[in-house]
Amino acid sequence: MNETEQYTATITWLSPPTLRNDGTFRKDEIYTAVITLVPKAGYTLTGISGDFFTVNGADATTNTADSGVVTATFPRTN
């Protein structure tokens, strides 16, 4: 879990969720993360447009309007 003054964030990895034994990503896999942002008191996600967020290194990033649930798909690993 990560947090700032404005929000708390959790990241869940979707399939394939398998990592190598040393905790690194496996070769030749496409990884997808669901990032959930929960605003703290005094902050809101109201007014956030669909597909507003960007994630460094992701090929595609999506979210619905007024939502802090972001799906990020990353390119196939080398």
Side-chain angles (χ1 to χ4, degrees):
M1 181 181 320
N2 293 316
E3 97 180 70
T4 70
E5 180 180 306
Q6 296 94 5
Y7 65 86
T8 300
T10 57
I11 300 170
T12 305
W13 291 98
L14 300 181
S15 89
T18 55
L19 297 176
R20 294 173 21 162
N21 289 339
D22 64 1
T24 60
F25 294 107
R26 291 184 182 275
K27 182 180 179 189
D28 205 29
E29 299 279 3
I30 295 173
Y31 286 88
T32 300
V34 175
I35 304 154
T36 304
L37 303 172
V38 178
K40 292 185 176 179
Y43 295 92
T44 182
L45 292 167
T46 302
I48 297 294
S49 62
D51 301 331
F52 171 80
F53 296 100
T54 58
V55 176
N56 262 352
D59 279 344
T61 307
T62 60
N63 67 282
T64 57
D66 301 321
S67 172
V69 179
V70 181
T71 301
T73 303
F74 294 88
R76 190 172 300 281
T77 53
N78 294 334

